[in-house]
Amino acid sequence: MAPQPCPEPLKVSAAQVLGLDLSPLAGLASLAPAALLTAAGGLVLDFDWPREAEDPRELSEIPELRLWSLRADALHPWLPLVLERSGGQLTRHVAMLLPHGFSPTEGIRFAPESLELWITQRLFLLDHWAASGGIECRASLGQMAAVLGYELDPGFWSVLP
């Protein structure tokens, strides 16, 4: 079955952010891994966060949003796998978790060592999670890594049992 986009963005209110309330993810969290993977690359998180018009910060620079994202990532490690990729949702989520810089011309630039450690750990984690559910998702994991600017060595998966 081909991955299906989530029909609507998941709204995350300011109150949910401040309360570290992950209830917007509850519906996805209740799915079995195979069902969850049908949404791979399609989830959009819509943060309803009040901002002054002159606030120059990117969402990933707002401490409250970063804290909510860190908690969401810790309790739902599959989240990066299901986040939308081409419109920047995955990149923004990872920017909430890792040191990075922002350039108006180049966009988000991750600290290379941090990205390498995070993506390697996440590939191991999600490959194990999928395999424990009898699912193969290495191609999707490779796509997730590529969106973040991380190229997997062709032999990466061959060393795993």
Side-chain angles (χ1 to χ4, degrees):
M1 178 182 286
Q4 300 295 313
C6 292
E8 295 180 16
L10 289 182
K11 300 242 181 241
V12 182
S13 71
Q16 289 168 322
V17 169
L18 291 171
L20 297 177
D21 175 0
L22 301 181
S23 62
L25 299 172
L28 287 171
S30 68
L31 296 175
L36 185 61
L37 287 177
T38 64
L43 174 64
V44 172
L45 293 176
D46 181 12
F47 290 105
D48 183 16
W49 187 256
R51 297 176 65 184
E52 298 293 327
E54 62 276 354
D55 187 348
R57 298 177 297 174
E58 295 293 318
L59 292 178
S60 62
E61 297 174 305
I62 299 172
E64 296 88 350
L65 296 179
R66 290 188 87 167
L67 189 59
W68 188 93
S69 296
L70 282 164
R71 184 165 195 257
D73 192 73
L75 298 179
H76 304 301
W78 44 261
L79 187 57
L81 186 58
V82 299
L83 283 169
E84 181 277 331
R85 297 170 185 167
S86 63
Q89 287 281 310
L90 173 62
T91 303
R92 182 183 73 190
H93 176 72
V94 176
M96 300 277 195
L97 311 175
L98 297 179
H100 66 280
F102 183 79
S103 160
T105 57
E106 296 179 31
I108 292 174
R109 305 293 295 170
F110 295 106
E113 298 83 7
S114 295
L115 180 61
E116 182 176 4
L117 288 171
W118 182 86
I119 195 72
T120 303
Q121 182 270 349
R122 193 52 51 109
L123 292 172
F124 288 151
L125 175 74
L126 291 175
D127 182 60
H128 176 75
W129 169 79
S132 68
I135 304 163
E136 164 57 48
C137 72
R138 288 179 175 177
S140 187
L141 291 171
Q143 292 168 355
M144 181 185 79
V147 166
L148 296 169
Y150 187 83
E151 188 174 330
L152 284 180
D153 182 281
F156 180 81
W157 299 113
S158 67
V159 299
L160 296 179

